[in-house]
Amino acid sequence: MDLVLNNINVKLGDKNIIQDISLAVARGEFVGIIGPNGSGKSTLLRTIYRIIQPNSGSILLDGKNLKDVKLAESAKKMGVVGQFNTINFDFSVFDMVMMGRTPHKSLLGSDTPEDYEIAMEAIQKVGMEKHAYRSFSTLSGGEKQRIILARALAQQPQLLILDEPTNHLDIKYQLQILSIVKSLGIGVLAALHDLSLAAMYCHKLYVLKEGNVVASGVPNEILTPELVRDVYEIECDIHENPDTGYLAITYYPTCRHA
Amino acid sequence: MTQLKKRPSIEYDAVIKKNNVFILLLLGLSIIALLSMLMAVCIGTVKIPPEMSYKIIAYKLFHLDIDNVISQVSPSHMDIIWQIRLPRVIMSTVVGAGLAMCGTVMQASVQNPLAEPYILGISAGASLGATFSILIGGASGVLFGFGTAFWAFLGALGASIFVMVLSGIGGRMSTVKMVLSGSIASALFIAISNFIVYISNDAEGIRNVTFWTMGSLAAAKWDNLALPVIGVTLCCLYFLFQSRILNTLLLGEEAAITLGIDLTKIRRRYMVITALITGLIVASCGIFGFVGLVIPHVVRGLVGSDHRRLMPGSILVGAIFLTWADVLARIILKSGELPIGIITALVGAPFFMYILFKQSFDFGSK
């Protein structure tokens, strides 16, 4: 499973949100998208998971143009954890995860023991098996996020799209979610806020600024103080920790009148 | 890994057990629905002994002349049971099922627990269509007897589109915008109906129109029963098989799309079907509110949000509820009968209030 974007342009109203973006996620690759608020990360992801139609350019999933693929077909291959997961109706955690099986079922097909097994395994993968019978609305924000991830896993996708999956999570669960996702060995495209986490988990990063890709490549090579200054308008030091190999980023206060 | 394999099967057994309980519940509800219909036939201002009623029905249906029933029964009793009460009971059952179904579907497709034909002004649109056809004469001509129902359908569809567009302006459809759009639609369509009534100067027509606005099942006859019965039955069957999609719709627009549901297409299709049912119902018994609101809520409280349970449950409970509401409408006044809209509103309005308060509280916390 791979995902290729060729020269994608997205306009919302009169405004160009995404300009001529091309990117690729190879089989099993963990790819991150970073960039400040409003740089077009979510719009780009929503275009890929088919909420928004691109104005031009093509998106290829497994070599096929998404335009020609039915929603039900692409949903078998692509799981999504979006940002907005509040619902007005309540379901049990287990039922919620079972919905991930929807693209694999015909309208009349009933749920088989295999479906239950897949759903339960997904719940176990995110460590929520103790809460399988609780109602979704009683969960905390972080727990909800994990259940939505479990639902996407129950789709048995070969590609996961994550839109800031670690929002609202404390650091333990941020690490946990990203580790779970990475351990699956499937293709991942994730918009991420935290630069050090992005550098730690991603094989490849795309850096977005005002709807353009301004840099892309291996995190340790492209993440430099110059890039961060250019994109985020802040000063920082970036060092590779000699023991772990991970990037350590130290930010400086920005207040000029201090 | 063995432990991984073991747990799910326990889960599956639990689900099977839960399903069995639910099947029993459905069976029970079906029996209650049937008994309600049988009992409702025997209740009315004219006292006819139950066994006599059933003998008449048996005779009419199967030409079974039990205990020489025909010689004992007065023709007027025969007519009351066969020509008046039975069609009316069937109509109330079907209309109740249809409205509850419409409410359930609308609530899922706009992800909002307040959606219902009456509150969203769809019924008012249908009533405008019906009024137009009766007083301006769309009822005659090429469409034969289907004229009124057809115009009611057009009105309902127009109202649905109107409300969807209005509440979708400026981004997300919020509860507040939807309920406001519904009241705008209601006010507008009722005003136009009233205007048509006012200028038409047609006494017979006006009487008919008054009847739409309060709702009554009194006009149920064998002749006008076929269309609602067939329509509601087909749509109920259709939606019973749409549970998976309806469930997914509850998760919100983005989630539904990422789970492979073609939301725009599905929503448009559901909107046309619910408008069709609302039109058929309004054309045959006028507008009365809240059935589509109350019933799905009560049933959701009993069996949860899963449409595989909710849909059949709502259909049956809706049928039972309206059968008894109509019995009440027939017998509560000594002097005559009460429009059923009054009864459903007396039950439904406080319920609406309750949900609104509960909802606004929920929305505040999000």
Side-chain angles (χ1 to χ4, degrees), chain B residues 121-129 150-162 189 271-272 274-280 282:
Chain B
I122 319 294
S123 300
S127 148
L128 171 59
F150 177 74
W151 283 101
F153 162 63
L154 280 191
L157 193 61
S160 310
I161 295 170
F162 179 84
F189 294 130
M271 198 166 82
V272 171
T274 47
L276 181 72
I277 295 298
T278 310
L280 280 178
V282 170

mmCIF file of all heavy atoms in Angstrom, chain B residues 121-129 150-162 189 271-272 274-280 282:
data_model
loop_
_atom_site.group_PDB
_atom_site.id
_atom_site.type_symbol
_atom_site.label_atom_id
_atom_site.label_comp_id
_atom_site.label_asym_id
_atom_site.label_seq_id
_atom_site.Cartn_x
_atom_site.Cartn_y
_atom_site.Cartn_z
ATOM 1 N N GLY B 121 -40.670 21.202 10.399
ATOM 2 C CA GLY B 121 -41.531 21.885 9.431
ATOM 3 C C GLY B 121 -41.837 21.075 8.188
ATOM 4 O O GLY B 121 -42.453 21.573 7.249
ATOM 5 N N ILE B 122 -41.408 19.808 8.163
ATOM 6 C CA ILE B 122 -41.666 18.970 6.986
ATOM 7 C C ILE B 122 -43.164 18.691 6.869
ATOM 8 O O ILE B 122 -43.740 18.722 5.783
ATOM 9 C CB ILE B 122 -40.909 17.620 7.061
ATOM 10 C CG1 ILE B 122 -39.499 17.795 7.592
ATOM 11 C CG2 ILE B 122 -40.926 16.907 5.726
ATOM 12 C CD1 ILE B 122 -38.577 18.575 6.729
ATOM 13 N N SER B 123 -43.798 18.452 8.037
ATOM 14 C CA SER B 123 -45.243 18.208 8.031
ATOM 15 C C SER B 123 -45.988 19.430 7.536
ATOM 16 O O SER B 123 -46.958 19.317 6.778
ATOM 17 C CB SER B 123 -45.731 17.863 9.438
ATOM 18 O OG SER B 123 -45.087 16.716 9.900
ATOM 19 N N ALA B 124 -45.523 20.613 7.947
ATOM 20 C CA ALA B 124 -46.182 21.841 7.498
ATOM 21 C C ALA B 124 -46.062 21.981 5.984
ATOM 22 O O ALA B 124 -47.016 22.393 5.303
ATOM 23 C CB ALA B 124 -45.574 23.057 8.191
ATOM 24 N N GLY B 125 -44.901 21.609 5.450
ATOM 25 C CA GLY B 125 -44.709 21.639 4.004
ATOM 26 C C GLY B 125 -45.670 20.698 3.313
ATOM 27 O O GLY B 125 -46.302 21.048 2.296
ATOM 28 N N ALA B 126 -45.809 19.484 3.878
ATOM 29 C CA ALA B 126 -46.725 18.512 3.303
ATOM 30 C C ALA B 126 -48.148 19.035 3.357
ATOM 31 O O ALA B 126 -48.928 18.882 2.407
ATOM 32 C CB ALA B 126 -46.618 17.186 4.056
ATOM 33 N N SER B 127 -48.479 19.679 4.467
ATOM 34 C CA SER B 127 -49.832 20.195 4.628
ATOM 35 C C SER B 127 -50.106 21.313 3.622
ATOM 36 O O SER B 127 -51.213 21.412 3.079
ATOM 37 C CB SER B 127 -49.983 20.664 6.075
ATOM 38 O OG SER B 127 -50.853 21.733 6.153
ATOM 39 N N LEU B 128 -49.083 22.128 3.349
ATOM 40 C CA LEU B 128 -49.245 23.157 2.323
ATOM 41 C C LEU B 128 -49.525 22.511 0.965
ATOM 42 O O LEU B 128 -50.439 22.928 0.235
ATOM 43 C CB LEU B 128 -47.994 24.036 2.234
ATOM 44 C CG LEU B 128 -47.945 25.015 1.064
ATOM 45 C CD1 LEU B 128 -49.115 25.980 1.102
ATOM 46 C CD2 LEU B 128 -46.629 25.782 1.038
ATOM 47 N N GLY B 129 -48.773 21.460 0.662
ATOM 48 C CA GLY B 129 -48.998 20.750 -0.598
ATOM 49 C C GLY B 129 -50.417 20.229 -0.687
ATOM 50 O O GLY B 129 -51.094 20.371 -1.716
ATOM 51 N N PHE B 150 -49.525 13.180 -3.690
ATOM 52 C CA PHE B 150 -48.389 13.613 -4.495
ATOM 53 C C PHE B 150 -47.979 15.040 -4.145
ATOM 54 O O PHE B 150 -46.803 15.338 -3.950
ATOM 55 C CB PHE B 150 -48.742 13.507 -5.977
ATOM 56 C CG PHE B 150 -47.659 13.999 -6.884
ATOM 57 C CD1 PHE B 150 -46.519 13.236 -7.075
ATOM 58 C CD2 PHE B 150 -47.769 15.228 -7.524
ATOM 59 C CE1 PHE B 150 -45.506 13.690 -7.904
ATOM 60 C CE2 PHE B 150 -46.752 15.687 -8.341
ATOM 61 C CZ PHE B 150 -45.623 14.912 -8.531
ATOM 62 N N TRP B 151 -48.996 15.920 -4.042
ATOM 63 C CA TRP B 151 -48.687 17.306 -3.694
ATOM 64 C C TRP B 151 -48.126 17.407 -2.279
ATOM 65 O O TRP B 151 -47.234 18.222 -2.015
ATOM 66 C CB TRP B 151 -49.917 18.190 -3.850
ATOM 67 C CG TRP B 151 -50.178 18.506 -5.287
ATOM 68 C CD1 TRP B 151 -51.098 17.931 -6.109
ATOM 69 C CD2 TRP B 151 -49.467 19.456 -6.088
ATOM 70 N NE1 TRP B 151 -51.013 18.454 -7.369
ATOM 71 C CE2 TRP B 151 -50.026 19.396 -7.395
ATOM 72 C CE3 TRP B 151 -48.410 20.323 -5.839
ATOM 73 C CZ2 TRP B 151 -49.560 20.197 -8.429
ATOM 74 C CZ3 TRP B 151 -47.956 21.125 -6.884
ATOM 75 C CH2 TRP B 151 -48.523 21.057 -8.160
ATOM 76 N N ALA B 152 -48.654 16.582 -1.387
ATOM 77 C CA ALA B 152 -48.132 16.578 -0.016
ATOM 78 C C ALA B 152 -46.664 16.166 -0.015
ATOM 79 O O ALA B 152 -45.837 16.732 0.706
ATOM 80 C CB ALA B 152 -48.953 15.639 0.863
ATOM 81 N N PHE B 153 -46.352 15.194 -0.858
ATOM 82 C CA PHE B 153 -44.961 14.748 -0.967
ATOM 83 C C PHE B 153 -44.073 15.875 -1.475
ATOM 84 O O PHE B 153 -43.001 16.141 -0.930
ATOM 85 C CB PHE B 153 -44.879 13.530 -1.889
ATOM 86 C CG PHE B 153 -43.508 13.250 -2.423
ATOM 87 C CD1 PHE B 153 -42.465 12.933 -1.568
ATOM 88 C CD2 PHE B 153 -43.255 13.304 -3.784
ATOM 89 C CE1 PHE B 153 -41.196 12.684 -2.064
ATOM 90 C CE2 PHE B 153 -41.993 13.055 -4.285
ATOM 91 C CZ PHE B 153 -40.961 12.748 -3.427
ATOM 92 N N LEU B 154 -44.554 16.557 -2.528
ATOM 93 C CA LEU B 154 -43.772 17.678 -3.055
ATOM 94 C C LEU B 154 -43.540 18.731 -1.974
ATOM 95 O O LEU B 154 -42.438 19.256 -1.826
ATOM 96 C CB LEU B 154 -44.495 18.325 -4.245
ATOM 97 C CG LEU B 154 -44.365 17.618 -5.588
ATOM 98 C CD1 LEU B 154 -44.902 18.514 -6.694
ATOM 99 C CD2 LEU B 154 -42.911 17.265 -5.879
ATOM 100 N N GLY B 155 -44.622 19.036 -1.236
ATOM 101 C CA GLY B 155 -44.503 20.027 -0.164
ATOM 102 C C GLY B 155 -43.487 19.598 0.879
ATOM 103 O O GLY B 155 -42.641 20.387 1.317
ATOM 104 N N ALA B 156 -43.545 18.312 1.253
ATOM 105 C CA ALA B 156 -42.627 17.802 2.274
ATOM 106 C C ALA B 156 -41.184 17.860 1.783
ATOM 107 O O ALA B 156 -40.271 18.251 2.518
ATOM 108 C CB ALA B 156 -42.999 16.359 2.640
ATOM 109 N N LEU B 157 -40.994 17.492 0.511
ATOM 110 C CA LEU B 157 -39.650 17.509 -0.057
ATOM 111 C C LEU B 157 -39.128 18.941 -0.103
ATOM 112 O O LEU B 157 -37.978 19.215 0.275
ATOM 113 C CB LEU B 157 -39.675 16.907 -1.458
ATOM 114 C CG LEU B 157 -38.330 16.579 -2.071
ATOM 115 C CD1 LEU B 157 -37.590 15.558 -1.228
ATOM 116 C CD2 LEU B 157 -38.505 16.048 -3.490
ATOM 117 N N GLY B 158 -40.000 19.854 -0.548
ATOM 118 C CA GLY B 158 -39.609 21.267 -0.595
ATOM 119 C C GLY B 158 -39.198 21.758 0.786
ATOM 120 O O GLY B 158 -38.162 22.409 0.947
ATOM 121 N N ALA B 159 -39.999 21.403 1.788
ATOM 122 C CA ALA B 159 -39.697 21.840 3.154
ATOM 123 C C ALA B 159 -38.381 21.243 3.641
ATOM 124 O O ALA B 159 -37.573 21.919 4.276
ATOM 125 C CB ALA B 159 -40.831 21.449 4.088
ATOM 126 N N SER B 160 -38.134 19.959 3.316
ATOM 127 C CA SER B 160 -36.882 19.326 3.751
ATOM 128 C C SER B 160 -35.693 20.074 3.177
ATOM 129 O O SER B 160 -34.732 20.384 3.890
ATOM 130 C CB SER B 160 -36.792 17.871 3.268
ATOM 131 O OG SER B 160 -37.937 17.169 3.566
ATOM 132 N N ILE B 161 -35.765 20.344 1.878
ATOM 133 C CA ILE B 161 -34.645 21.034 1.228
ATOM 134 C C ILE B 161 -34.468 22.423 1.843
ATOM 135 O O ILE B 161 -33.357 22.839 2.174
ATOM 136 C CB ILE B 161 -34.887 21.118 -0.293
ATOM 137 C CG1 ILE B 161 -34.887 19.709 -0.881
ATOM 138 C CG2 ILE B 161 -33.822 21.979 -0.970
ATOM 139 C CD1 ILE B 161 -35.354 19.620 -2.311
ATOM 140 N N PHE B 162 -35.608 23.109 2.030
ATOM 141 C CA PHE B 162 -35.582 24.445 2.619
ATOM 142 C C PHE B 162 -34.857 24.434 3.973
ATOM 143 O O PHE B 162 -33.940 25.226 4.220
ATOM 144 C CB PHE B 162 -37.029 24.932 2.780
ATOM 145 C CG PHE B 162 -37.174 26.288 3.398
ATOM 146 C CD1 PHE B 162 -37.064 27.429 2.624
ATOM 147 C CD2 PHE B 162 -37.439 26.422 4.751
ATOM 148 C CE1 PHE B 162 -37.207 28.680 3.191
ATOM 149 C CE2 PHE B 162 -37.585 27.664 5.334
ATOM 150 C CZ PHE B 162 -37.469 28.801 4.539
ATOM 151 N N PHE B 189 -44.886 28.006 5.920
ATOM 152 C CA PHE B 189 -45.774 27.133 5.158
ATOM 153 C C PHE B 189 -47.197 27.183 5.692
ATOM 154 O O PHE B 189 -48.164 27.133 4.928
ATOM 155 C CB PHE B 189 -45.240 25.705 5.139
ATOM 156 C CG PHE B 189 -43.942 25.582 4.387
ATOM 157 C CD1 PHE B 189 -42.849 24.954 4.930
ATOM 158 C CD2 PHE B 189 -43.824 26.148 3.117
ATOM 159 C CE1 PHE B 189 -41.655 24.865 4.238
ATOM 160 C CE2 PHE B 189 -42.632 26.067 2.409
ATOM 161 C CZ PHE B 189 -41.548 25.425 2.980
ATOM 162 N N MET B 271 -33.583 11.672 2.616
ATOM 163 C CA MET B 271 -34.449 12.844 2.695
ATOM 164 C C MET B 271 -35.666 12.656 1.808
ATOM 165 O O MET B 271 -36.795 12.960 2.197
ATOM 166 C CB MET B 271 -33.663 14.081 2.267
ATOM 167 C CG MET B 271 -34.266 15.371 2.696
ATOM 168 S SD MET B 271 -33.045 16.684 2.504
ATOM 169 C CE MET B 271 -33.217 17.028 0.784
ATOM 170 N N VAL B 272 -35.450 12.121 0.592
ATOM 171 C CA VAL B 272 -36.572 11.904 -0.326
ATOM 172 C C VAL B 272 -37.532 10.870 0.268
ATOM 173 O O VAL B 272 -38.751 11.054 0.248
ATOM 174 C CB VAL B 272 -36.060 11.447 -1.712
ATOM 175 C CG1 VAL B 272 -37.208 11.015 -2.591
ATOM 176 C CG2 VAL B 272 -35.277 12.572 -2.365
ATOM 177 N N THR B 274 -38.005 9.964 3.469
ATOM 178 C CA THR B 274 -38.771 10.443 4.631
ATOM 179 C C THR B 274 -39.807 11.486 4.198
ATOM 180 O O THR B 274 -40.903 11.529 4.751
ATOM 181 C CB THR B 274 -37.859 11.052 5.716
ATOM 182 O OG1 THR B 274 -36.947 11.951 5.100
ATOM 183 C CG2 THR B 274 -37.099 9.992 6.460
ATOM 184 N N ALA B 275 -39.471 12.292 3.182
ATOM 185 C CA ALA B 275 -40.453 13.256 2.686
ATOM 186 C C ALA B 275 -41.644 12.524 2.081
ATOM 187 O O ALA B 275 -42.801 12.918 2.263
ATOM 188 C CB ALA B 275 -39.817 14.176 1.651
ATOM 189 N N LEU B 276 -41.360 11.433 1.384
ATOM 190 C CA LEU B 276 -42.427 10.640 0.776
ATOM 191 C C LEU B 276 -43.376 10.109 1.847
ATOM 192 O O LEU B 276 -44.600 10.238 1.748
ATOM 193 C CB LEU B 276 -41.803 9.480 -0.008
ATOM 194 C CG LEU B 276 -42.771 8.555 -0.724
ATOM 195 C CD1 LEU B 276 -43.364 9.266 -1.919
ATOM 196 C CD2 LEU B 276 -42.071 7.284 -1.172
ATOM 197 N N ILE B 277 -42.805 9.527 2.891
ATOM 198 C CA ILE B 277 -43.630 8.949 3.961
ATOM 199 C C ILE B 277 -44.405 10.060 4.675
ATOM 200 O O ILE B 277 -45.607 9.940 4.934
ATOM 201 C CB ILE B 277 -42.753 8.181 4.967
ATOM 202 C CG1 ILE B 277 -42.124 6.980 4.279
ATOM 203 C CG2 ILE B 277 -43.582 7.717 6.161
ATOM 204 C CD1 ILE B 277 -43.120 5.985 3.760
ATOM 205 N N THR B 278 -43.717 11.162 4.986
ATOM 206 C CA THR B 278 -44.406 12.269 5.650
ATOM 207 C C THR B 278 -45.561 12.755 4.777
ATOM 208 O O THR B 278 -46.668 12.996 5.263
ATOM 209 C CB THR B 278 -43.433 13.436 5.916
ATOM 210 O OG1 THR B 278 -42.276 12.919 6.557
ATOM 211 C CG2 THR B 278 -44.062 14.482 6.799
ATOM 212 N N GLY B 279 -45.302 12.891 3.471
ATOM 213 C CA GLY B 279 -46.359 13.328 2.545
ATOM 214 C C GLY B 279 -47.547 12.382 2.553
ATOM 215 O O GLY B 279 -48.699 12.811 2.670
ATOM 216 N N LEU B 280 -47.277 11.086 2.474
ATOM 217 C CA LEU B 280 -48.350 10.089 2.474
ATOM 218 C C LEU B 280 -49.169 10.182 3.756
ATOM 219 O O LEU B 280 -50.398 10.150 3.741
ATOM 220 C CB LEU B 280 -47.771 8.675 2.376
ATOM 221 C CG LEU B 280 -47.357 8.182 0.999
ATOM 222 C CD1 LEU B 280 -46.762 6.790 1.104
ATOM 223 C CD2 LEU B 280 -48.564 8.172 0.079
ATOM 224 N N VAL B 282 -49.369 12.741 5.961
ATOM 225 C CA VAL B 282 -50.090 14.005 6.094
ATOM 226 C C VAL B 282 -51.299 14.029 5.160
ATOM 227 O O VAL B 282 -52.369 14.488 5.532
ATOM 228 C CB VAL B 282 -49.148 15.199 5.820
ATOM 229 C CG1 VAL B 282 -49.928 16.489 5.710
ATOM 230 C CG2 VAL B 282 -48.126 15.311 6.933
#
